[in-house]
Amino acid sequence: FTLALKKSSVQTIGEEQIQNPYTELLVLKGHQDIVRFLVQIDDCRFASAGDDGIIFLWNAQTGEKLFELHGHTQKITAIAPFSSSDDSEEKSNLILTASADKTVIVWDCTTGRQVQKVSCFHSTVKCLTVLQRLDVWLSGGSDLCVWNRKLDLLCKTSHLTDAGISTLVELPKNCVAAAVGKELIIFRLTASSDKSEGWNILEVKRLVDHHDNILSLVSVNDLTFVTGSHVGELIVWDAIDWTKQASECNFWESSVHPDSQTEIKLSQSPNETSVQHLTSDEECVFAAVGKGIYVYNLQMKRVIACQRTAHDSSVLHIEKLPNRQLISCSEDGSVRIWELREKQQVPAEPVPTGFFNMWGFGRANKQANQAAKKTQENTTMHFLELVGDLIGHSSAVQMFLYFGELGLVTCSADHLVILWKDGERESRLRSLTLFQKLAQNGDLQLKF
């Protein structure tokens, strides 16, 4: 019985989740298949899309369905917001969607209408990136194409590979990095001399440092970008000259947890070390690796905190909130909120015993104490503490959007979109609305 508990080291949290504000939820129905994508349109609207080929536009405050966009005949493979920068007219909010039907459609989010459709692709577009500064957008598939706002094809590369470009990131000096299998290709856009708004696209460098397919790519700032691969390699690159600044290939041998017994062997399963998603702030890169979350400090060039088994299955998406919190979602159907905390020196607390520990309530403390005994340094220790566990989906949670005080939006393989709300805030708003109604009806008599 005790052995079974030791094997599963996933942190658990009770029903009393004091630091978890999301105590209310709205279930948004409409999709008929896996919902894979969410994209923010503005402060209170977002779009959802997935394998049914339909795009839904929603109000993030009320959960109201605004529009249902039909135009694709197969699953959606990429989505990107595309706001107009025209000074002459009011700013219009557009979105671009790519599909397995080999088309890209531009939609107007205000009217819910299809603005334009591009059907000249030879293969599925797997990623879309808008270069707002240059007023162009890129589509990546078996080749890389550059388009203007009117959807004119300005230039394209030759056929790169059958596998195609899986992800793109904008770099300084009119460059982009494209992940093509295990290679990272740097392209530069140069202004064409013959046409006023023409562009040429040139391949300038191929980086072949990864040993397996690149799954994730994130731009940290104008100087740095980071890539992650299927076999747990994380590489930090210089965004100007594309040289390798640092790399971390042994997440499972991290010095944060010197407990060698929990080492993950590569031979077990490649998915255990797959870098599924990356996000960052100025100081750190946050990596979803297998079932775990790792915090890599860019200045120290090392992992400063980790939760090896943050979820029961692969972590699919991770985001850093403006505060010290992180949110992760997983194939296991859960969404978890973590807080990155630091402590100068770990006090040697006694390991909890008895009833609670037998049922697994004390597992997290036990792990922390084992690590503490072995770490005698006075350096600042960082750790990820579970502060919220959102259970609402019945299948893999693909991704989420953080809407600040309006809440959190999640999408899943269970065909649902869930809008998680701050219960206290919603309660205050309802009271305020009721108060205003009573005042209007004259039912409220204020006595002084």
Side-chain angles (χ1 to χ4, degrees), residues 29-44:
K29 294 180 180 177
H31 283 287
Q32 306 296 313
D33 209 329
I34 298 173
V35 191
R36 294 186 191 274
F37 303 102
L38 294 168
V39 68
Q40 186 167 346
I41 297 161
D42 54 27
D43 290 342
C44 63

PDB file of all heavy atoms in Angstrom, residues 29-44:
ATOM      1  N   LYS A  29     -20.935  25.457 -24.947  1.00  0.00           N
ATOM      2  CA  LYS A  29     -21.138  24.337 -25.868  1.00  0.00           C
ATOM      3  C   LYS A  29     -21.353  24.831 -27.289  1.00  0.00           C
ATOM      4  O   LYS A  29     -21.810  25.940 -27.515  1.00  0.00           O
ATOM      5  CB  LYS A  29     -22.336  23.499 -25.423  1.00  0.00           C
ATOM      6  CG  LYS A  29     -22.118  22.793 -24.093  1.00  0.00           C
ATOM      7  CD  LYS A  29     -23.325  21.975 -23.692  1.00  0.00           C
ATOM      8  CE  LYS A  29     -23.076  21.271 -22.355  1.00  0.00           C
ATOM      9  NZ  LYS A  29     -24.251  20.535 -21.900  1.00  0.00           N
ATOM     10  N   GLY A  30     -21.034  23.988 -28.246  1.00  0.00           N
ATOM     11  CA  GLY A  30     -21.221  24.336 -29.655  1.00  0.00           C
ATOM     12  C   GLY A  30     -20.348  23.490 -30.561  1.00  0.00           C
ATOM     13  O   GLY A  30     -20.782  23.019 -31.614  1.00  0.00           O
ATOM     14  N   HIS A  31     -19.113  23.249 -30.131  1.00  0.00           N
ATOM     15  CA  HIS A  31     -18.195  22.447 -30.950  1.00  0.00           C
ATOM     16  C   HIS A  31     -18.625  20.978 -30.974  1.00  0.00           C
ATOM     17  O   HIS A  31     -19.149  20.455 -29.988  1.00  0.00           O
ATOM     18  CB  HIS A  31     -16.764  22.568 -30.430  1.00  0.00           C
ATOM     19  CG  HIS A  31     -16.098  23.858 -30.810  1.00  0.00           C
ATOM     20  ND1 HIS A  31     -15.669  24.118 -32.085  1.00  0.00           N
ATOM     21  CD2 HIS A  31     -15.796  24.967 -30.077  1.00  0.00           C
ATOM     22  CE1 HIS A  31     -15.127  25.317 -32.124  1.00  0.00           C
ATOM     23  NE2 HIS A  31     -15.194  25.862 -30.915  1.00  0.00           N
ATOM     24  N   GLN A  32     -18.365  20.328 -32.105  1.00  0.00           N
ATOM     25  CA  GLN A  32     -18.739  18.923 -32.294  1.00  0.00           C
ATOM     26  C   GLN A  32     -17.540  17.981 -32.268  1.00  0.00           C
ATOM     27  O   GLN A  32     -17.672  16.787 -32.518  1.00  0.00           O
ATOM     28  CB  GLN A  32     -19.466  18.752 -33.652  1.00  0.00           C
ATOM     29  CG  GLN A  32     -20.659  19.671 -33.847  1.00  0.00           C
ATOM     30  CD  GLN A  32     -21.759  19.390 -32.843  1.00  0.00           C
ATOM     31  OE1 GLN A  32     -22.132  18.251 -32.617  1.00  0.00           O
ATOM     32  NE2 GLN A  32     -22.264  20.451 -32.208  1.00  0.00           N
ATOM     33  N   ASP A  33     -16.346  18.536 -32.009  1.00  0.00           N
ATOM     34  CA  ASP A  33     -15.134  17.710 -32.018  1.00  0.00           C
ATOM     35  C   ASP A  33     -14.102  18.370 -31.103  1.00  0.00           C
ATOM     36  O   ASP A  33     -14.407  19.355 -30.433  1.00  0.00           O
ATOM     37  CB  ASP A  33     -14.603  17.576 -33.454  1.00  0.00           C
ATOM     38  CG  ASP A  33     -13.853  16.261 -33.688  1.00  0.00           C
ATOM     39  OD1 ASP A  33     -13.242  15.760 -32.714  1.00  0.00           O
ATOM     40  OD2 ASP A  33     -13.857  15.749 -34.819  1.00  0.00           O
ATOM     41  N   ILE A  34     -12.869  17.845 -31.110  1.00  0.00           N
ATOM     42  CA  ILE A  34     -11.798  18.370 -30.247  1.00  0.00           C
ATOM     43  C   ILE A  34     -11.596  19.871 -30.495  1.00  0.00           C
ATOM     44  O   ILE A  34     -11.488  20.309 -31.642  1.00  0.00           O
ATOM     45  CB  ILE A  34     -10.463  17.616 -30.523  1.00  0.00           C
ATOM     46  CG1 ILE A  34     -10.622  16.128 -30.191  1.00  0.00           C
ATOM     47  CG2 ILE A  34      -9.314  18.227 -29.723  1.00  0.00           C
ATOM     48  CD1 ILE A  34      -9.415  15.273 -30.582  1.00  0.00           C
ATOM     49  N   VAL A  35     -11.554  20.644 -29.410  1.00  0.00           N
ATOM     50  CA  VAL A  35     -11.279  22.081 -29.518  1.00  0.00           C
ATOM     51  C   VAL A  35      -9.797  22.271 -29.186  1.00  0.00           C
ATOM     52  O   VAL A  35      -9.369  22.017 -28.070  1.00  0.00           O
ATOM     53  CB  VAL A  35     -12.160  22.910 -28.548  1.00  0.00           C
ATOM     54  CG1 VAL A  35     -12.044  24.395 -28.886  1.00  0.00           C
ATOM     55  CG2 VAL A  35     -13.616  22.459 -28.608  1.00  0.00           C
ATOM     56  N   ARG A  36      -9.020  22.698 -30.186  1.00  0.00           N
ATOM     57  CA  ARG A  36      -7.555  22.770 -30.029  1.00  0.00           C
ATOM     58  C   ARG A  36      -7.019  24.182 -29.846  1.00  0.00           C
ATOM     59  O   ARG A  36      -5.920  24.370 -29.338  1.00  0.00           O
ATOM     60  CB  ARG A  36      -6.867  22.159 -31.257  1.00  0.00           C
ATOM     61  CG  ARG A  36      -7.102  20.682 -31.401  1.00  0.00           C
ATOM     62  CD  ARG A  36      -6.291  20.099 -32.535  1.00  0.00           C
ATOM     63  NE  ARG A  36      -6.727  18.738 -32.818  1.00  0.00           N
ATOM     64  CZ  ARG A  36      -6.275  17.661 -32.198  1.00  0.00           C
ATOM     65  NH1 ARG A  36      -5.354  17.786 -31.253  1.00  0.00           N
ATOM     66  NH2 ARG A  36      -6.725  16.458 -32.506  1.00  0.00           N
ATOM     67  N   PHE A  37      -7.759  25.170 -30.334  1.00  0.00           N
ATOM     68  CA  PHE A  37      -7.208  26.533 -30.358  1.00  0.00           C
ATOM     69  C   PHE A  37      -8.126  27.545 -29.692  1.00  0.00           C
ATOM     70  O   PHE A  37      -9.335  27.490 -29.837  1.00  0.00           O
ATOM     71  CB  PHE A  37      -6.975  26.984 -31.811  1.00  0.00           C
ATOM     72  CG  PHE A  37      -6.076  26.089 -32.603  1.00  0.00           C
ATOM     73  CD1 PHE A  37      -6.608  25.178 -33.517  1.00  0.00           C
ATOM     74  CD2 PHE A  37      -4.700  26.137 -32.443  1.00  0.00           C
ATOM     75  CE1 PHE A  37      -5.782  24.331 -34.249  1.00  0.00           C
ATOM     76  CE2 PHE A  37      -3.871  25.294 -33.179  1.00  0.00           C
ATOM     77  CZ  PHE A  37      -4.405  24.393 -34.078  1.00  0.00           C
ATOM     78  N   LEU A  38      -7.484  28.481 -28.988  1.00  0.00           N
ATOM     79  CA  LEU A  38      -8.164  29.646 -28.436  1.00  0.00           C
ATOM     80  C   LEU A  38      -7.319  30.851 -28.814  1.00  0.00           C
ATOM     81  O   LEU A  38      -6.088  30.792 -28.736  1.00  0.00           O
ATOM     82  CB  LEU A  38      -8.263  29.558 -26.912  1.00  0.00           C
ATOM     83  CG  LEU A  38      -9.130  28.446 -26.315  1.00  0.00           C
ATOM     84  CD1 LEU A  38      -8.865  28.339 -24.825  1.00  0.00           C
ATOM     85  CD2 LEU A  38     -10.613  28.684 -26.578  1.00  0.00           C
ATOM     86  N   VAL A  39      -7.951  31.938 -29.215  1.00  0.00           N
ATOM     87  CA  VAL A  39      -7.179  33.140 -29.535  1.00  0.00           C
ATOM     88  C   VAL A  39      -7.940  34.361 -29.033  1.00  0.00           C
ATOM     89  O   VAL A  39      -9.157  34.462 -29.192  1.00  0.00           O
ATOM     90  CB  VAL A  39      -6.856  33.230 -31.051  1.00  0.00           C
ATOM     91  CG1 VAL A  39      -8.088  33.463 -31.902  1.00  0.00           C
ATOM     92  CG2 VAL A  39      -5.833  34.313 -31.327  1.00  0.00           C
ATOM     93  N   GLN A  40      -7.212  35.265 -28.382  1.00  0.00           N
ATOM     94  CA  GLN A  40      -7.832  36.486 -27.863  1.00  0.00           C
ATOM     95  C   GLN A  40      -7.984  37.500 -28.983  1.00  0.00           C
ATOM     96  O   GLN A  40      -7.055  37.730 -29.754  1.00  0.00           O
ATOM     97  CB  GLN A  40      -6.975  37.061 -26.726  1.00  0.00           C
ATOM     98  CG  GLN A  40      -7.627  38.236 -26.040  1.00  0.00           C
ATOM     99  CD  GLN A  40      -6.940  38.606 -24.730  1.00  0.00           C
ATOM    100  OE1 GLN A  40      -6.142  37.843 -24.190  1.00  0.00           O
ATOM    101  NE2 GLN A  40      -7.252  39.778 -24.211  1.00  0.00           N
ATOM    102  N   ILE A  41      -9.174  38.101 -29.080  1.00  0.00           N
ATOM    103  CA  ILE A  41      -9.434  39.094 -30.123  1.00  0.00           C
ATOM    104  C   ILE A  41      -9.225  40.493 -29.563  1.00  0.00           C
ATOM    105  O   ILE A  41      -8.573  41.329 -30.161  1.00  0.00           O
ATOM    106  CB  ILE A  41     -10.870  38.932 -30.681  1.00  0.00           C
ATOM    107  CG1 ILE A  41     -11.007  37.563 -31.352  1.00  0.00           C
ATOM    108  CG2 ILE A  41     -11.219  40.052 -31.659  1.00  0.00           C
ATOM    109  CD1 ILE A  41     -12.424  37.088 -31.545  1.00  0.00           C
ATOM    110  N   ASP A  42      -9.808  40.750 -28.396  1.00  0.00           N
ATOM    111  CA  ASP A  42      -9.612  42.019 -27.693  1.00  0.00           C
ATOM    112  C   ASP A  42      -9.807  41.774 -26.199  1.00  0.00           C
ATOM    113  O   ASP A  42      -9.751  40.626 -25.748  1.00  0.00           O
ATOM    114  CB  ASP A  42     -10.542  43.119 -28.235  1.00  0.00           C
ATOM    115  CG  ASP A  42     -12.010  42.710 -28.220  1.00  0.00           C
ATOM    116  OD1 ASP A  42     -12.377  41.862 -27.371  1.00  0.00           O
ATOM    117  OD2 ASP A  42     -12.801  43.214 -29.042  1.00  0.00           O
ATOM    118  N   ASP A  43     -10.073  42.832 -25.443  1.00  0.00           N
ATOM    119  CA  ASP A  43     -10.173  42.702 -23.982  1.00  0.00           C
ATOM    120  C   ASP A  43     -11.319  41.823 -23.505  1.00  0.00           C
ATOM    121  O   ASP A  43     -11.296  41.341 -22.371  1.00  0.00           O
ATOM    122  CB  ASP A  43     -10.323  44.087 -23.340  1.00  0.00           C
ATOM    123  CG  ASP A  43      -9.039  44.886 -23.454  1.00  0.00           C
ATOM    124  OD1 ASP A  43      -7.990  44.262 -23.705  1.00  0.00           O
ATOM    125  OD2 ASP A  43      -9.077  46.121 -23.317  1.00  0.00           O
ATOM    126  N   CYS A  44     -12.345  41.639 -24.339  1.00  0.00           N
ATOM    127  CA  CYS A  44     -13.478  40.848 -23.845  1.00  0.00           C
ATOM    128  C   CYS A  44     -13.999  39.814 -24.847  1.00  0.00           C
ATOM    129  O   CYS A  44     -15.053  39.229 -24.644  1.00  0.00           O
ATOM    130  CB  CYS A  44     -14.622  41.765 -23.406  1.00  0.00           C
ATOM    131  SG  CYS A  44     -15.296  42.734 -24.743  1.00  0.00           S
TER     132      CYS A  44
END
